[in-house]
Amino acid sequence: MKAIILAAGVGSRLRPITSDKPKCLVKVAGRPILDYQIEAYRSAGITDIIIIVGYEAEKIRQYCKHIKDLRITIIENSVFSSTNNMYSLYLARTALKGEGFLLSNADVAFGPEIMARLIAGPPSAIASQRDHYSEESMKITVDSENQITGISKTIDPQMAYGVSIDIYKFSQEAAATMLDHVVKTIEVRKNLNDWTEVAIHNMLQSGQMVMEPVDIGNHPWYEIDNHEDLTTAEKIFSGYVSGREKLVFFDLDGTIYLGKDLITGAREMLQRLEEKGVKYYFLTNNSSKSKKDYAKRLDNLGIGVEEERIILSTDGCLDFLVKSQVKEIFMVGTRSMAEMFEAAGINTRSEKPEYVVIGFDTELTYEKARLATLHASKGVDLIATHCDLVCPTPEGIIPDAGAILKFIETAAGVKATRIFGKPNVEMIAHILEREGVSLDEAVIVGDRIYTDMEMARRVGCKGIMVLSGDTGLEALQVCASCPDLVVKSVAELFH
């Protein structure tokens, strides 16, 4: 059999992700939706695939041109913006003539097991999830002989067998009936704006075509129309298995709290870990406060924690200076940060510093920036507590230490010689060793790809990204350090 993938649509509800790419190339758990479909067809032995393209057609061509083991035919729907998927199927009529075929809408991610079940099933069938109901999905009704009697979004839940997952199988006879109906709709009735599902429903109702449901069971699938769907699909296809965790590192800003507010469900999530006997630590690159400040802040939010379980980006920086026997620095940082260094015998306002130290300075003045730039431009080494460019707040993002560092680097014409904090492995290496857990039992949970998820990648442990802080779904489309799991917030974790 041939397979046909309908991929001409715009996917406007996924913008800005689809502002410059077709929906079928949107990534789910690091893979384009189209890749899931092609792999499912390949695994089932289908080697002849027709893809109907429209919006951003060239990008689909470029994606497919390196696939050598399949015969992929690209057909372009040049009027995709004013037609629907029945017209796209119509464009494939010549290529499909006289043959049975498989049909899928390109916005559904699904595993190869589903295609295997469909091909092994009745001659003409609809892949369906029995006893499942969704307002957005097509529902089907089935008679006492297990034949489908209708397919529509408006079917009452009490009447529905389950939902269609938009994957169809047509025998040679059913394919001829289907295509004949489509041709008459387009050429005779001049209706270019109808859906393939409408054609299927009409023929089932009139008895012109017989189809049966193929129950996919619990095999993974998801139709992706909007950002909410994409978040759900990320979770379904992540492959992350909960329950193996023995040690969890949590970012704070944007993960446990945002501004002055605790993330909903964070306290309950930590209680679940405690009940399971899972040890956890808090990591933050935010160098504007001391461990005592953070412990007090967490306590005020109803989370009691010992100071030694709070790991700051300043820890590595301060440890480096102490071990190097440095006594004189010029600091761009808050008074709270300066007090930590001064308690270790380091002068933070030296006129002859060995290092210029950049932190997250919420008390930044031009005078501090001016003096730091002058010292750095005269050859004093520039170091920073961490590299975060922005800090999430309830009002939006604000400049963080990384932005301040770039400001000084640009003005002085130099680069920092060392940057501490996430994603540097040494920030938690000693804890992993002390706790004695294997890497597959350790997890880093955070809201940033380039620090939290990059750190997980460097360490070799699992990384879970939350969407409650700095990073949105758009960033997952281009990230190198893809998380093992993406969730809306920590409330969804460790049940």
Side-chain angles (χ1 to χ4, degrees), residues 276-397:
K276 294 177 181 180
V278 178
K279 192 79 171 281
Y280 60 84
Y281 288 80
F282 297 109
L283 301 176
T284 180
N285 271 353
N286 190 332
S287 54
S288 65
K289 304 292 183 183
S290 67
K291 291 191 179 188
K292 184 177 180 180
D293 293 329
Y294 280 109
K296 183 178 180 180
R297 183 175 188 178
L298 288 167
D299 188 60
N300 290 338
L301 293 171
I303 299 172
V305 63
E306 305 89 349
E307 288 183 25
E308 53 267 28
R309 282 209 277 158
I310 299 172
I311 306 164
L312 308 180
S313 62
T314 46
D315 292 348
C317 183
L318 182 56
D319 184 61
F320 166 73
L321 294 174
V322 169
K323 286 180 177 177
S324 302
Q325 298 182 354
V326 173
K327 297 295 183 183
E328 302 290 322
I329 66 171
F330 183 84
M331 177 180 289
V332 177
T334 60
R335 187 65 239 160
S336 180
M337 177 181 169
E339 287 172 356
M340 286 187 282
F341 285 69
E342 289 165 2
I346 298 173
N347 177 14
T348 62
R349 299 291 290 175
S350 176
E351 294 181 359
K352 294 183 178 180
E354 291 186 58
Y355 290 94
V356 173
V357 179
I358 307 295
F360 180 28
D361 191 355
T362 55
E363 302 157 9
L364 181 64
T365 65
Y366 188 81
E367 181 62 10
K368 285 186 192 177
R370 184 183 74 86
L371 291 172
T373 301
L374 290 172
H375 288 309
S377 63
K378 293 175 182 177
V380 178
D381 283 349
L382 191 60
I383 62 176
T385 56
H386 62 285
C387 64
D388 289 7
L389 293 171
V390 296
C391 177
T393 73
E395 296 79 25
I397 59 172

Side-chain angles (χ1 to χ4, degrees), residues 134-153:
S134 166
E135 287 288 343
E136 275 293 308
S137 297
M138 287 284 177
K139 276 73 72 177
I140 62 171
T141 51
V142 175
D143 64 17
S144 58
E145 297 180 355
N146 201 42
Q147 293 183 356
I148 299 172
T149 56
I151 177 169
S152 171
K153 279 191 176 184

Side-chain angles (χ1 to χ4, degrees), residues 43 57-58 71 200 235 249 296 334 344 373 412 447:
S43 296
E58 186 57 29
R71 291 186 299 276
I200 294 170
K235 194 172 181 179
F249 298 96
K296 183 178 180 180
T334 60
T373 301
D447 67 322

Side-chain angles (χ1 to χ4, degrees), residues 15-153:
R15 286 177 174 156
I17 295 172
T18 52
S19 293
D20 62 353
K21 71 166 67 176
K23 183 158 56 164
C24 68
L25 294 186
V26 170
K27 290 181 180 179
V28 174
R31 294 171 59 195
I33 300 170
L34 183 60
D35 187 54
Y36 286 92
Q37 296 208 7
I38 288 175
E39 180 55 35
Y41 284 123
R42 178 188 285 116
S43 296
I46 304 300
T47 58
D48 207 333
I49 300 175
I50 301 164
I51 305 176
I52 310 298
V53 301
Y55 177 68
E56 293 288 351
E58 186 57 29
K59 291 184 178 176
I60 300 176
R61 286 194 182 91
Q62 290 300 313
Y63 182 82
C64 294
K65 74 178 184 179
H66 297 297
I67 300 174
K68 307 296 186 185
D69 62 326
L70 302 172
R71 291 186 299 276
I72 295 181
T73 303
I74 303 291
I75 299 175
E76 185 163 353
N77 178 355
S78 60
V79 289
F80 65 87
S81 62
S82 59
T83 59
N84 276 322
N85 67 357
M86 187 189 290
Y87 183 76
S88 288
L89 178 58
Y90 167 78
L91 296 177
R93 65 195 183 283
T94 302
L96 294 172
K97 194 171 184 178
E99 298 184 50
F101 63 90
L102 297 153
L103 174 69
S104 59
N105 290 328
D107 57 359
V108 182
F110 57 88
E113 306 89 353
I114 290 175
M115 187 54 61
R117 281 196 178 197
L118 185 62
I119 288 177
S124 297
I126 299 177
S128 314
Q129 189 165 37
R130 188 169 189 172
D131 299 326
H132 181 76
Y133 188 85
S134 166
E135 287 288 343
E136 275 293 308
S137 297
M138 287 284 177
K139 276 73 72 177
I140 62 171
T141 51
V142 175
D143 64 17
S144 58
E145 297 180 355
N146 201 42
Q147 293 183 356
I148 299 172
T149 56
I151 177 169
S152 171
K153 279 191 176 184

